[in-house]
Amino acid sequence: QSVLTQPPSVSAAPGQKVTISCSGSSSNIGNNYVSWYQQLPGTAPKLLIYENDKRPSGIPDRFSGSKSGTSATLGITGLQTGDEADYYCGTWDSSLSGSPWVFGGGTKLTVL
Amino acid sequence: EVQLVESGGDLVQPGGSLRLSCAVSAFTLSDHYMHWVRQAPGKGLEWVGRSRNKANGYTTDYAASVKGRFTISRDDSKNSLYLQMNSLKTEDTAMYYCVRGYNYAYDYWGQGTLVTVSS
């Protein structure tokens, strides 16, 4: 069971908007930056969002991130079939009992 | 263009050892924290460990699941990061990714190398 909780799956039609939540605690999301990763089938993960809401060069503005308290959200607008992938949130965790870095369990996005 | 290329993955018996390598290019390895992240077949991502940069003494941290069995090292002169894995267990079976740290995130990932632990 992951320290960060994500919904196992979300779906939406092409052109629509979808949000993916990532819930944690004060030891992780509450006091650290959150990043998001996209993993297309059969490929390595790719950084989508860092420091809660910043996009690396080359990431379209259809992708956005936000954080409030101990939760974070990834938003994707104008959905395309090429967005079908697994999405992971991640952050540092200051809890002494676990790993310094934690990922969410991942969310599979289906574009219907 | 920044590149990270892992190698060394193989089929190994439980209790065995394996050393993974990650060759990097187009950036100064000593400036960056470097991490290993793994993904078991059909499962999510799991952080394995990190090597801090030169400014922070190259110190290392590990996930509880591998602590005492895995060791991260690097040779900046060879632009390479390593993961020495001992006392391997079947649950260590996974794709292992070499990852560059950047601004509290991971900005570049290798393509991964597959480690299979089975008798």
Short mmCIF file of all heavy atoms in Angstrom, two decimals, chain B residues 14-70:
data_model
loop_
_atom_site.label_atom_id
_atom_site.label_comp_id
_atom_site.label_asym_id
_atom_site.label_seq_id
_atom_site.Cartn_x
_atom_site.Cartn_y
_atom_site.Cartn_z
N PRO B 14 17.97 -16.43 -6.41
CA PRO B 14 17.83 -15.85 -5.08
C PRO B 14 19.10 -16.03 -4.26
O PRO B 14 19.74 -17.08 -4.31
CB PRO B 14 16.67 -16.64 -4.47
CG PRO B 14 15.87 -17.08 -5.65
CD PRO B 14 16.87 -17.36 -6.74
N GLY B 15 19.48 -14.97 -3.55
CA GLY B 15 20.73 -14.97 -2.79
C GLY B 15 21.92 -14.49 -3.57
O GLY B 15 22.99 -14.26 -2.98
N GLY B 16 21.75 -14.31 -4.87
CA GLY B 16 22.85 -13.88 -5.71
C GLY B 16 23.07 -12.38 -5.70
O GLY B 16 22.41 -11.64 -4.98
N SER B 17 24.04 -11.95 -6.49
CA SER B 17 24.42 -10.55 -6.57
C SER B 17 24.41 -10.07 -8.02
O SER B 17 24.55 -10.88 -8.95
CB SER B 17 25.83 -10.34 -5.98
OG SER B 17 25.86 -10.65 -4.61
N LEU B 18 24.28 -8.77 -8.17
CA LEU B 18 24.28 -8.17 -9.50
C LEU B 18 24.70 -6.72 -9.35
O LEU B 18 24.40 -6.08 -8.33
CB LEU B 18 22.88 -8.25 -10.10
CG LEU B 18 22.71 -8.22 -11.62
CD1 LEU B 18 23.50 -9.37 -12.27
CD2 LEU B 18 21.24 -8.32 -11.98
N ARG B 19 25.40 -6.20 -10.35
CA ARG B 19 25.78 -4.80 -10.34
C ARG B 19 25.22 -4.12 -11.57
O ARG B 19 25.53 -4.52 -12.69
CB ARG B 19 27.31 -4.65 -10.32
CG ARG B 19 27.79 -3.22 -10.12
CD ARG B 19 29.24 -3.08 -10.51
NE ARG B 19 29.84 -1.87 -9.98
CZ ARG B 19 30.94 -1.29 -10.51
NH1 ARG B 19 31.52 -1.82 -11.57
NH2 ARG B 19 31.44 -0.20 -9.96
N LEU B 20 24.41 -3.11 -11.34
CA LEU B 20 23.87 -2.31 -12.43
C LEU B 20 24.75 -1.07 -12.64
O LEU B 20 25.30 -0.52 -11.69
CB LEU B 20 22.45 -1.88 -12.12
CG LEU B 20 21.44 -2.98 -11.76
CD1 LEU B 20 20.06 -2.37 -11.57
CD2 LEU B 20 21.44 -4.08 -12.80
N SER B 21 24.81 -0.65 -13.89
CA SER B 21 25.55 0.57 -14.24
C SER B 21 24.63 1.54 -14.94
O SER B 21 23.65 1.13 -15.59
CB SER B 21 26.73 0.24 -15.16
OG SER B 21 27.64 -0.62 -14.53
N CYS B 22 24.95 2.82 -14.81
CA CYS B 22 24.21 3.86 -15.50
C CYS B 22 25.22 4.85 -16.06
O CYS B 22 25.92 5.53 -15.29
CB CYS B 22 23.26 4.56 -14.53
SG CYS B 22 22.45 6.03 -15.21
N ALA B 23 25.32 4.89 -17.37
CA ALA B 23 26.24 5.82 -18.04
C ALA B 23 25.47 7.08 -18.40
O ALA B 23 24.42 7.00 -19.04
CB ALA B 23 26.82 5.17 -19.28
N VAL B 24 26.00 8.23 -17.98
CA VAL B 24 25.31 9.49 -18.23
C VAL B 24 26.12 10.34 -19.18
O VAL B 24 27.35 10.20 -19.29
CB VAL B 24 25.03 10.25 -16.92
CG1 VAL B 24 24.36 9.34 -15.89
CG2 VAL B 24 26.28 10.89 -16.36
N SER B 25 25.43 11.25 -19.86
CA SER B 25 26.11 12.15 -20.77
C SER B 25 25.38 13.48 -20.83
O SER B 25 24.19 13.56 -20.54
CB SER B 25 26.23 11.52 -22.16
OG SER B 25 24.96 11.18 -22.65
N ALA B 26 26.13 14.50 -21.24
CA ALA B 26 25.63 15.85 -21.48
C ALA B 26 25.30 16.63 -20.21
O ALA B 26 24.57 17.64 -20.26
CB ALA B 26 24.43 15.85 -22.42
N PHE B 27 25.80 16.17 -19.05
CA PHE B 27 25.70 16.98 -17.85
C PHE B 27 26.80 16.55 -16.89
O PHE B 27 27.41 15.48 -17.05
CB PHE B 27 24.33 16.88 -17.17
CG PHE B 27 23.99 15.55 -16.56
CD1 PHE B 27 24.22 15.31 -15.21
CD2 PHE B 27 23.42 14.55 -17.32
CE1 PHE B 27 23.89 14.09 -14.64
CE2 PHE B 27 23.08 13.33 -16.77
CZ PHE B 27 23.32 13.09 -15.42
N THR B 28 27.08 17.36 -15.92
CA THR B 28 28.14 17.09 -14.96
C THR B 28 27.59 16.27 -13.80
O THR B 28 26.83 16.78 -12.98
CB THR B 28 28.75 18.40 -14.44
OG1 THR B 28 29.23 19.17 -15.55
CG2 THR B 28 29.90 18.13 -13.48
N LEU B 29 27.97 15.01 -13.77
CA LEU B 29 27.40 14.08 -12.79
C LEU B 29 27.61 14.56 -11.36
O LEU B 29 26.71 14.44 -10.53
CB LEU B 29 28.03 12.70 -12.99
CG LEU B 29 27.50 11.56 -12.13
CD1 LEU B 29 26.01 11.36 -12.33
CD2 LEU B 29 28.26 10.27 -12.43
N SER B 30 28.74 15.12 -11.06
CA SER B 30 29.06 15.51 -9.69
C SER B 30 28.15 16.63 -9.17
O SER B 30 28.06 16.83 -7.96
CB SER B 30 30.52 15.94 -9.58
OG SER B 30 30.79 17.04 -10.44
N ASP B 31 27.46 17.33 -10.05
CA ASP B 31 26.58 18.41 -9.64
C ASP B 31 25.22 17.94 -9.16
O ASP B 31 24.46 18.72 -8.58
CB ASP B 31 26.36 19.40 -10.80
CG ASP B 31 27.58 20.24 -11.11
OD1 ASP B 31 28.50 20.30 -10.25
OD2 ASP B 31 27.62 20.83 -12.20
N HIS B 32 24.90 16.68 -9.46
CA HIS B 32 23.54 16.21 -9.26
C HIS B 32 23.40 15.09 -8.25
O HIS B 32 24.24 14.19 -8.16
CB HIS B 32 22.96 15.73 -10.59
CG HIS B 32 22.67 16.84 -11.55
ND1 HIS B 32 21.45 17.46 -11.61
CD2 HIS B 32 23.46 17.45 -12.44
CE1 HIS B 32 21.50 18.42 -12.53
NE2 HIS B 32 22.71 18.43 -13.05
N TYR B 33 22.28 15.12 -7.52
CA TYR B 33 21.81 13.95 -6.81
C TYR B 33 21.38 12.94 -7.89
O TYR B 33 20.77 13.31 -8.90
CB TYR B 33 20.59 14.26 -5.95
CG TYR B 33 20.84 14.96 -4.65
CD1 TYR B 33 21.75 16.01 -4.53
CD2 TYR B 33 20.13 14.59 -3.51
CE1 TYR B 33 21.95 16.65 -3.32
CE2 TYR B 33 20.30 15.23 -2.29
CZ TYR B 33 21.22 16.27 -2.20
OH TYR B 33 21.40 16.91 -1.02
N MET B 34 21.69 11.68 -7.66
CA MET B 34 21.28 10.62 -8.58
C MET B 34 20.55 9.54 -7.80
O MET B 34 20.91 9.22 -6.65
CB MET B 34 22.48 10.02 -9.30
CG MET B 34 23.20 10.99 -10.23
SD MET B 34 22.19 11.57 -11.59
CE MET B 34 21.92 10.05 -12.51
N HIS B 35 19.53 8.97 -8.42
CA HIS B 35 18.65 8.03 -7.74
C HIS B 35 18.48 6.76 -8.56
O HIS B 35 18.68 6.75 -9.78
CB HIS B 35 17.28 8.66 -7.53
CG HIS B 35 17.28 9.97 -6.82
ND1 HIS B 35 16.83 10.11 -5.53
CD2 HIS B 35 17.67 11.21 -7.22
CE1 HIS B 35 16.94 11.39 -5.16
NE2 HIS B 35 17.46 12.07 -6.18
N TRP B 36 18.06 5.72 -7.88
CA TRP B 36 17.58 4.51 -8.53
C TRP B 36 16.12 4.33 -8.11
O TRP B 36 15.77 4.44 -6.94
CB TRP B 36 18.39 3.29 -8.13
CG TRP B 36 19.77 3.26 -8.72
CD1 TRP B 36 20.93 3.70 -8.14
CD2 TRP B 36 20.14 2.75 -10.01
NE1 TRP B 36 21.99 3.50 -8.99
CE2 TRP B 36 21.54 2.92 -10.13
CE3 TRP B 36 19.44 2.15 -11.06
CZ2 TRP B 36 22.25 2.52 -11.28
CZ3 TRP B 36 20.14 1.76 -12.20
CH2 TRP B 36 21.52 1.94 -12.30
N VAL B 37 15.27 4.06 -9.10
CA VAL B 37 13.85 3.80 -8.90
C VAL B 37 13.53 2.49 -9.60
O VAL B 37 14.03 2.25 -10.70
CB VAL B 37 12.99 4.94 -9.48
CG1 VAL B 37 11.50 4.59 -9.39
CG2 VAL B 37 13.27 6.25 -8.75
N ARG B 38 12.72 1.65 -9.00
CA ARG B 38 12.39 0.37 -9.63
C ARG B 38 10.88 0.21 -9.79
O ARG B 38 10.10 0.89 -9.12
CB ARG B 38 12.98 -0.80 -8.85
CG ARG B 38 12.35 -1.05 -7.50
CD ARG B 38 13.09 -2.19 -6.78
NE ARG B 38 12.52 -2.47 -5.48
CZ ARG B 38 13.00 -3.39 -4.63
NH1 ARG B 38 14.08 -4.10 -4.96
NH2 ARG B 38 12.42 -3.59 -3.46
N GLN B 39 10.53 -0.71 -10.67
CA GLN B 39 9.13 -0.97 -10.96
C GLN B 39 8.95 -2.46 -11.20
O GLN B 39 9.41 -2.99 -12.22
CB GLN B 39 8.66 -0.17 -12.17
CG GLN B 39 7.18 -0.27 -12.45
CD GLN B 39 6.75 0.71 -13.53
OE1 GLN B 39 7.49 1.02 -14.45
NE2 GLN B 39 5.53 1.24 -13.39
N ALA B 40 8.33 -3.14 -10.27
CA ALA B 40 8.03 -4.56 -10.44
C ALA B 40 7.03 -4.74 -11.59
O ALA B 40 6.25 -3.82 -11.87
CB ALA B 40 7.49 -5.13 -9.15
N PRO B 41 7.03 -5.88 -12.23
CA PRO B 41 6.13 -6.09 -13.37
C PRO B 41 4.68 -5.81 -13.01
O PRO B 41 4.14 -6.37 -12.05
CB PRO B 41 6.35 -7.57 -13.70
CG PRO B 41 7.73 -7.86 -13.22
CD PRO B 41 7.91 -7.04 -11.99
N GLY B 42 4.05 -4.91 -13.76
CA GLY B 42 2.65 -4.59 -13.55
C GLY B 42 2.36 -3.76 -12.31
O GLY B 42 1.19 -3.56 -11.96
N LYS B 43 3.40 -3.29 -11.66
CA LYS B 43 3.23 -2.54 -10.40
C LYS B 43 3.66 -1.08 -10.55
O LYS B 43 4.07 -0.65 -11.63
CB LYS B 43 4.04 -3.20 -9.28
CG LYS B 43 3.67 -4.65 -9.03
CD LYS B 43 2.24 -4.81 -8.55
CE LYS B 43 1.92 -6.25 -8.20
NZ LYS B 43 0.50 -6.42 -7.78
N GLY B 44 3.59 -0.33 -9.45
CA GLY B 44 3.94 1.08 -9.47
C GLY B 44 5.42 1.30 -9.23
O GLY B 44 6.22 0.38 -9.16
N LEU B 45 5.77 2.58 -9.11
CA LEU B 45 7.16 2.98 -8.92
C LEU B 45 7.56 2.89 -7.45
O LEU B 45 6.77 3.23 -6.57
CB LEU B 45 7.36 4.42 -9.41
CG LEU B 45 6.99 4.69 -10.86
CD1 LEU B 45 7.06 6.19 -11.16
CD2 LEU B 45 7.88 3.90 -11.81
N GLU B 46 8.81 2.45 -7.23
CA GLU B 46 9.34 2.38 -5.87
C GLU B 46 10.73 2.99 -5.85
O GLU B 46 11.61 2.56 -6.59
CB GLU B 46 9.41 0.93 -5.37
CG GLU B 46 9.97 0.82 -3.95
CD GLU B 46 10.22 -0.61 -3.51
OE1 GLU B 46 10.22 -1.52 -4.34
OE2 GLU B 46 10.42 -0.82 -2.29
N TRP B 47 10.92 3.99 -5.02
CA TRP B 47 12.23 4.59 -4.84
C TRP B 47 13.16 3.60 -4.15
O TRP B 47 12.78 2.98 -3.16
CB TRP B 47 12.08 5.86 -4.02
CG TRP B 47 13.33 6.64 -3.77
CD1 TRP B 47 13.91 7.56 -4.60
CD2 TRP B 47 14.13 6.61 -2.60
NE1 TRP B 47 15.03 8.10 -4.01
CE2 TRP B 47 15.18 7.53 -2.77
CE3 TRP B 47 14.08 5.90 -1.40
CZ2 TRP B 47 16.16 7.76 -1.82
CZ3 TRP B 47 15.05 6.12 -0.43
CH2 TRP B 47 16.08 7.05 -0.65
N VAL B 48 14.37 3.45 -4.69
CA VAL B 48 15.34 2.48 -4.14
C VAL B 48 16.39 3.18 -3.28
O VAL B 48 16.71 2.73 -2.18
CB VAL B 48 16.03 1.72 -5.28
CG1 VAL B 48 17.16 0.85 -4.74
CG2 VAL B 48 15.01 0.86 -6.04
N GLY B 49 16.94 4.28 -3.79
CA GLY B 49 17.98 4.97 -3.04
C GLY B 49 18.56 6.12 -3.82
O GLY B 49 18.21 6.34 -4.98
N ARG B 50 19.44 6.88 -3.17
CA ARG B 50 20.03 8.05 -3.81
C ARG B 50 21.48 8.23 -3.38
O ARG B 50 21.89 7.80 -2.31
CB ARG B 50 19.27 9.31 -3.44
CG ARG B 50 19.38 9.70 -1.96
CD ARG B 50 18.68 11.02 -1.67
NE ARG B 50 18.57 11.24 -0.22
CZ ARG B 50 17.91 12.25 0.33
NH1 ARG B 50 17.28 13.13 -0.45
NH2 ARG B 50 17.85 12.39 1.64
N SER B 51 22.21 8.91 -4.27
CA SER B 51 23.57 9.36 -4.00
C SER B 51 23.55 10.89 -4.10
O SER B 51 23.22 11.44 -5.16
CB SER B 51 24.53 8.76 -5.03
OG SER B 51 25.79 9.43 -4.99
N ARG B 52 23.89 11.55 -3.01
CA ARG B 52 23.93 13.00 -3.07
C ARG B 52 25.08 13.47 -3.94
O ARG B 52 25.96 12.68 -4.27
CB ARG B 52 24.03 13.58 -1.66
CG ARG B 52 22.79 13.36 -0.81
CD ARG B 52 22.93 13.97 0.57
NE ARG B 52 21.74 13.79 1.40
CZ ARG B 52 21.44 12.71 2.07
NH1 ARG B 52 22.29 11.68 2.03
NH2 ARG B 52 20.35 12.64 2.79
N ASN B 53 25.07 14.74 -4.27
CA ASN B 53 26.11 15.27 -5.16
C ASN B 53 27.41 15.54 -4.41
O ASN B 53 27.49 15.33 -3.18
CB ASN B 53 25.61 16.52 -5.88
CG ASN B 53 25.18 17.62 -4.91
OD1 ASN B 53 25.42 17.54 -3.70
ND2 ASN B 53 24.55 18.65 -5.44
N LYS B 54 28.41 16.00 -5.13
CA LYS B 54 29.73 16.23 -4.55
C LYS B 54 29.66 17.25 -3.43
O LYS B 54 30.28 17.06 -2.38
CB LYS B 54 30.69 16.73 -5.64
CG LYS B 54 32.12 16.96 -5.16
CD LYS B 54 33.02 17.39 -6.31
CE LYS B 54 34.46 17.60 -5.85
NZ LYS B 54 35.33 18.01 -6.97
N ALA B 55 28.88 18.30 -3.62
CA ALA B 55 28.76 19.36 -2.61
C ALA B 55 28.20 18.82 -1.30
O ALA B 55 28.41 19.42 -0.25
CB ALA B 55 27.87 20.48 -3.13
N ASN B 56 27.50 17.72 -1.36
CA ASN B 56 26.92 17.10 -0.17
C ASN B 56 27.59 15.78 0.17
O ASN B 56 26.98 14.91 0.82
CB ASN B 56 25.42 16.93 -0.36
CG ASN B 56 24.68 18.25 -0.28
OD1 ASN B 56 24.42 18.77 0.80
ND2 ASN B 56 24.37 18.82 -1.44
N GLY B 57 28.80 15.64 -0.29
CA GLY B 57 29.64 14.54 0.16
C GLY B 57 29.35 13.17 -0.40
O GLY B 57 29.84 12.17 0.14
N TYR B 58 28.54 13.10 -1.46
CA TYR B 58 28.21 11.81 -2.09
C TYR B 58 27.56 10.83 -1.11
O TYR B 58 27.61 9.62 -1.33
CB TYR B 58 29.46 11.15 -2.66
CG TYR B 58 30.13 11.92 -3.80
CD1 TYR B 58 31.50 12.19 -3.75
CD2 TYR B 58 29.41 12.36 -4.89
CE1 TYR B 58 32.13 12.88 -4.79
CE2 TYR B 58 30.03 13.05 -5.93
CZ TYR B 58 31.39 13.30 -5.87
OH TYR B 58 32.01 13.98 -6.89
N THR B 59 26.98 11.31 -0.05
CA THR B 59 26.34 10.40 0.90
C THR B 59 25.12 9.73 0.28
O THR B 59 24.56 10.22 -0.69
CB THR B 59 25.95 11.13 2.19
OG1 THR B 59 25.18 12.29 1.84
CG2 THR B 59 27.20 11.57 2.95
N THR B 60 24.72 8.61 0.87
CA THR B 60 23.66 7.81 0.28
C THR B 60 22.54 7.52 1.28
O THR B 60 22.74 7.57 2.51
CB THR B 60 24.21 6.46 -0.21
OG1 THR B 60 24.91 5.81 0.87
CG2 THR B 60 25.16 6.63 -1.39
N ASP B 61 21.36 7.27 0.74
CA ASP B 61 20.20 6.84 1.52
C ASP B 61 19.51 5.72 0.76
O ASP B 61 19.59 5.68 -0.48
CB ASP B 61 19.19 7.98 1.72
CG ASP B 61 19.74 9.12 2.53
OD1 ASP B 61 20.02 8.91 3.72
OD2 ASP B 61 19.90 10.21 1.96
N TYR B 62 18.81 4.86 1.49
CA TYR B 62 18.17 3.70 0.87
C TYR B 62 16.77 3.49 1.41
O TYR B 62 16.47 3.85 2.55
CB TYR B 62 19.01 2.45 1.11
CG TYR B 62 20.40 2.55 0.59
CD1 TYR B 62 21.45 2.99 1.40
CD2 TYR B 62 20.68 2.26 -0.75
CE1 TYR B 62 22.74 3.12 0.90
CE2 TYR B 62 21.97 2.38 -1.25
CZ TYR B 62 22.99 2.81 -0.43
OH TYR B 62 24.26 2.94 -0.93
N ALA B 63 15.94 2.87 0.58
CA ALA B 63 14.63 2.43 1.05
C ALA B 63 14.82 1.31 2.07
O ALA B 63 15.80 0.54 1.98
CB ALA B 63 13.80 1.93 -0.14
N ALA B 64 13.88 1.21 2.98
CA ALA B 64 13.98 0.18 4.02
C ALA B 64 14.05 -1.23 3.41
O ALA B 64 14.71 -2.11 3.95
CB ALA B 64 12.79 0.29 4.96
N SER B 65 13.39 -1.42 2.27
CA SER B 65 13.31 -2.74 1.65
C SER B 65 14.65 -3.23 1.10
O SER B 65 14.82 -4.43 0.84
CB SER B 65 12.28 -2.74 0.53
OG SER B 65 12.60 -1.74 -0.43
N VAL B 66 15.61 -2.32 0.90
CA VAL B 66 16.90 -2.72 0.31
C VAL B 66 18.08 -2.36 1.20
O VAL B 66 19.23 -2.75 0.90
CB VAL B 66 17.10 -2.09 -1.09
CG1 VAL B 66 15.90 -2.39 -1.98
CG2 VAL B 66 17.34 -0.59 -1.00
N LYS B 67 17.85 -1.64 2.26
CA LYS B 67 18.93 -1.19 3.12
C LYS B 67 19.73 -2.37 3.66
O LYS B 67 19.15 -3.37 4.10
CB LYS B 67 18.37 -0.37 4.27
CG LYS B 67 19.38 0.48 5.00
CD LYS B 67 18.69 1.46 5.94
CE LYS B 67 19.69 2.41 6.58
NZ LYS B 67 19.03 3.41 7.45
N GLY B 68 21.04 -2.26 3.58
CA GLY B 68 21.91 -3.33 4.03
C GLY B 68 22.22 -4.35 2.95
O GLY B 68 23.14 -5.17 3.11
N ARG B 69 21.48 -4.33 1.85
CA ARG B 69 21.72 -5.26 0.74
C ARG B 69 22.19 -4.55 -0.52
O ARG B 69 22.96 -5.12 -1.30
CB ARG B 69 20.43 -6.04 0.42
CG ARG B 69 19.89 -6.86 1.57
CD ARG B 69 18.72 -7.74 1.13
NE ARG B 69 17.59 -6.97 0.63
CZ ARG B 69 17.06 -7.10 -0.58
NH1 ARG B 69 17.57 -7.97 -1.43
NH2 ARG B 69 16.02 -6.38 -0.94
N PHE B 70 21.72 -3.33 -0.73
CA PHE B 70 22.07 -2.58 -1.93
C PHE B 70 23.01 -1.44 -1.58
O PHE B 70 22.90 -0.84 -0.50
CB PHE B 70 20.81 -1.98 -2.57
CG PHE B 70 19.89 -2.98 -3.24
CD1 PHE B 70 20.02 -4.34 -3.04
CD2 PHE B 70 18.86 -2.53 -4.06
CE1 PHE B 70 19.17 -5.25 -3.65
CE2 PHE B 70 18.00 -3.42 -4.67
CZ PHE B 70 18.15 -4.79 -4.47
#
